[in-house]
Structures are given as structure tokens and as C-alpha cells.
Amino acid sequence: MEEALAAYHAGHTDGSAGVRDGMRANDPETGTDYRVGVVDGSVVAFQSELIAAVRRLLDETR
């Protein structure tokens, strides 16, 4: 379980940074956890960018 959480965390960090480690993603034991982390991290990064864009837009309309 510890390895799965570590792989997820690494994936989340990579996804937030917009990168992907092919070796970790293809690991037979923890690759799935890493890939899910990458997707979750990518979603978080997208949400942050979207919120920042909306804030900029709202600031321009004031």
C-alpha cells in the first residue's frame, strides 16, 4: 500500500508540473497508481489555470 501511495503522489506531482515519467507509468506494480496521480495532478493544474483566467477576466471588467 505504501508503494501505491508513493507512486500516486509522484504522479500527482508530475501531473501538476505537466510532465510524465514513462518508466513509472509502465511499472507493472505501481504504474496504474502513478497514471491516476498524473491525471489528478493535471486536473488540479487545469483548475488552477482556469480560476486564474477567470479572476483576470473579472479584474478587467471592473
Side-chain angles (χ1 to χ4, degrees), residues 5-61:
L5 291 173
Y8 173 84
H9 178 69
H12 193 277
T13 302
D14 286 354
S16 294
V19 296
R20 184 172 183 253
D21 183 341
M23 287 194 59
R24 283 186 173 178
N26 292 324
D27 184 278
E29 291 185 23
T30 58
T32 301
D33 301 305
Y34 175 81
R35 290 189 302 272
V36 170
V38 168
V39 171
D40 287 350
S42 298
V43 169
V44 169
F46 174 76
Q47 288 174 335
S48 297
E49 290 178 30
L50 182 61
I51 290 170
V54 168
R55 286 184 177 156
R56 284 191 303 273
L57 183 65
L58 290 174
D59 285 342
E60 290 176 6
T61 61

